Amino acid sequence: MTSPPRAELAVGWATALSALVFVPTPHEDVEAELGALLDDMLAHARAGDHTAAAGIGARLVDAGFATADCLRVSLPLLRRALTALPDLDDAAVAEVVAAVAVGFTEASRERVFTEQRGLRESLLHRRENAERELAAVEERFEAVFAAAVQGMVLSTPDGRVLRANEALEVVLEHPAGTLPGTVADLFHPEDRAYLVDRYAELVAGDCARVDEQRIRFLRRDGEPVWVRVVVLPLRDRDGATTGLVTMVGDFTDLHLLEHKMSFQDTHDLLTGLPNRDAFVGRLEEALETGAELSVLHLGLDDLAVVNDGLGRAAGDRVLREVANRLESVVEGRGAAVARIGGDEFAVLLPHTPTTRVGDLPAEINDALAEPTYVAGGGTAASATIAVARLPARGTRPEELLAATDAELRALKAQGKRQWGLVDADENARRREHHRLAASIPGAWESGELSVEFERVLAVPSGEVVAARALLRWDHPDHGRLDDARCRALLADTGLGVPLGHWVMERALDADLGGVPPYLELTVEQAADPDLVAAVSRVLTTGGALELGLPVAALCEVDSPAEENLGVLVDLGVRTVLTGFGRTRGDLACLEDLGDLRAVSLDATVVSRVARADGSSMFVRAIRDLVPMVRDTGRSVIAGGITDAAQLDWWVSVGVDRAFGPHLGEPLV
């Protein structure tokens, strides 16, 4: 153990040295190490081995305390520790301290020498590596220059060609070694002055590189070659340009391809006509100028017949012929023809004093009616045409085409080879209708749709015999939309069938006081292949159900709705023929389908009777029709009853069921 004075001396020594030099060692470990040095030094001094104290100085250097200040601080502390020994005179103390200093000095010198030697060896190693890397770079450059697919040429700062690789000679079609003497001789005359200026800027240091994406060089035969040129300077240590490296990429094929793709971006590949984007652009320009014009939106009526009957190739032939004939019809009128969809075309027709827009649809269809001979036979086309005449200045093309598209669909619903003018008010009504139809899925999910139940009464007794399910839409802007409006909207969506299932489930779950629910299906719901499964699923909970199937769905022989009818009857569902009385085939349908338990007169029948007088032929026919149906054992239902007089009239002709506003508030 070190005596307390020596321990204190070690603590002081460690504190003093730590203030001079940072060593990554905890302070307590430094104190212990210096304490051990003191013990060893005192042991050597007692033994008279004064020169061995030199090792103490070397160990001090190894511990990291190798500066002159560390030695200056340490010697007085060591001298103090030595003088504390009673058997050591001043000469011996001086000898020991001198030995420590000598050992410290030699160790410090050796350490510096070792570090310098390591640094020198490191510098030599790095120089050798740099020389090897430079040689490798030069070798790789030579290999890349010779074998590069991209053309390369080395030139002097003033443009004189030093070397050119094989790739550049191939691009410019020059035999090996026959390139012109200067780089400027390679440039196309129209680009030469510009490129010479760019090279001069690079040599002067005004730019770091030249990079031209689309520029022309000359082939040996004088033809232009579209290339990308990248020029880099070779500079010495002082920054002076010693040479230039020009890299040349041949983009001639790409340039031609891009030109072709640019054409394809604005034209229909099959017919060569401008496409929808190009037509919209031209239409936008015309509308912005306020030019007087009309737009004809054509939809071919029977292309699917050609495709299905004669094949797609025949259909493509017809489309090309339609394009040619449209251009022939409008030739000389300054019109633009485009193909804007699969079987849709458009004509932008500027107005002149002699323009007669109403004559053009007939001219077009007369031209299309000439047979086109494909697949061994002659076929022809016809078109339904919507005409937007004199649209207002500033009208957006998208709005105009949306209007013609809506008119086109309405015209096609009337038949083939129709034409009509876009009516602004009617278009606004249609757009509002379609906007509502498109928002039904969100309304369903957010709970805006609900089901109410209208009383169906036996008349004249007034007994409630059924609850007619009605779809309601509580719209945040339009208020409550009734069942008829909802059905009209659903007809333009694909939600009619799933919403029908949902209404059915709500009807079976509703508390109707024991009265069976009555649902009137749409045509698509009646023909739904999953209708029977849906009915079976909801009937597993018990209860009765009445379903109305429209005449329009059942009047065709072996229709899906007729198949559903037979199974529904087997399930115990009471079935009603709805929409009765509108067509001549209603009685034949009723006679053929014996499973029907009742008929429901169409709403238009009830409303027409209400408007007519008693001498009307229609009213007399209904007076005869109702008893005829009742004689078959079926019930007859009249809906939409609004007052007592109307109810009395229908009861007098034999109707035994009725519903409508006059017959009470909804059940639920």
Side-chain angles (χ1 to χ4, degrees), residues 301-348:
D301 294 323
D302 45 16
L303 184 64
V305 174
V306 177
N307 285 335
D308 294 342
L310 302 177
R312 291 281 178 177
D316 290 347
R317 171 72 184 281
V318 169
L319 286 170
R320 286 192 291 269
E321 191 62 32
V322 167
N324 293 336
R325 295 184 188 183
L326 286 176
E327 289 187 307
S328 297
V329 169
V330 301
E331 186 177 4
R333 307 190 195 195
V337 181
R339 183 186 179 196
I340 61 173
D343 59 354
E344 296 181 19
F345 296 82
V347 177
L348 191 159

Side-chain angles (χ1 to χ4, degrees), residues 2-16 31 34-35 38 77 80-81:
T2 304
S3 63
R6 287 197 298 279
E8 294 173 3
L9 191 59
V11 171
W13 192 14
T15 301
E31 292 176 3
L34 294 178
L38 280 173
L77 291 171
R80 194 178 313 137

Side-chain angles (χ1 to χ4, degrees), residues 9-23:
L9 191 59
V11 171
W13 192 14
T15 301
L17 292 180
S18 296
L20 297 173
V21 178
F22 169 76
V23 291

Side-chain angles (χ1 to χ4, degrees), residues 172-188:
L172 302 182
E173 298 184 355
H174 280 270
T178 63
L179 279 176
T182 66
V183 177
D185 293 330
L186 304 177
F187 305 153
H188 191 279

